[in-house]
């Protein structure tokens, strides 16, 4: 399961600010994945590999425990 959010704005630690303005143009996308615990390490490794190749991309991975509510 995943969700993609378009036109996100913000300021990261290694990339230029993307605020969608004339002075700070650009926008980002956010991808959220709901994965079983055993799949998380492989996805985190993919993100680490991409960050190593594209160190100023601002790509990040966060893990948050999820519980589905009935």
């Amino acid at each position: 399961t995943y969700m993609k959010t378009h036109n996100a704005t913000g300021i990261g630690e290694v990339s230029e600010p993307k605020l969608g303005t004339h002075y700070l143009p650009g926008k980002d996308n956010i991808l959220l994945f709901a994965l079983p615990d055993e799949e998380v390490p492989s996805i985190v490794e993919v993100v680490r590999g991409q960050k190593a190749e594209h160190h100023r991309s601002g790509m990040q991975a966060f893990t948050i425990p999820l519980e589905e509510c009935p």
Side-chain angles (χ1 to χ4, degrees):
T1 304
Y2 78 95
M3 179 175 70
K4 183 175 184 178
T5 302
H6 300 270
N7 298 320
T9 59
I11 299 172
E13 293 180 7
V14 297
S15 62
E16 297 295 322
K18 295 180 180 165
L19 300 178
T21 65
H22 179 70
Y23 182 70
L24 296 168
K27 294 187 180 177
D28 276 322
N29 295 309
I30 300 171
L31 292 171
L32 301 173
F33 295 93
L35 303 169
D37 289 342
E38 61 272 6
E39 291 182 29
V40 172
S42 62
I43 297 299
V44 170
E45 283 306 311
V46 168
V47 173
R48 284 184 179 141
Q50 289 298 307
K51 286 179 71 165
E53 287 184 37
H54 310 283
H55 63 278
R56 294 203 29 93
S57 70
M59 183 182 296
Q60 296 185 29
F62 301 92
T63 60
I64 303 168
L66 298 176
E67 182 177 323
E68 185 175 4
C69 298

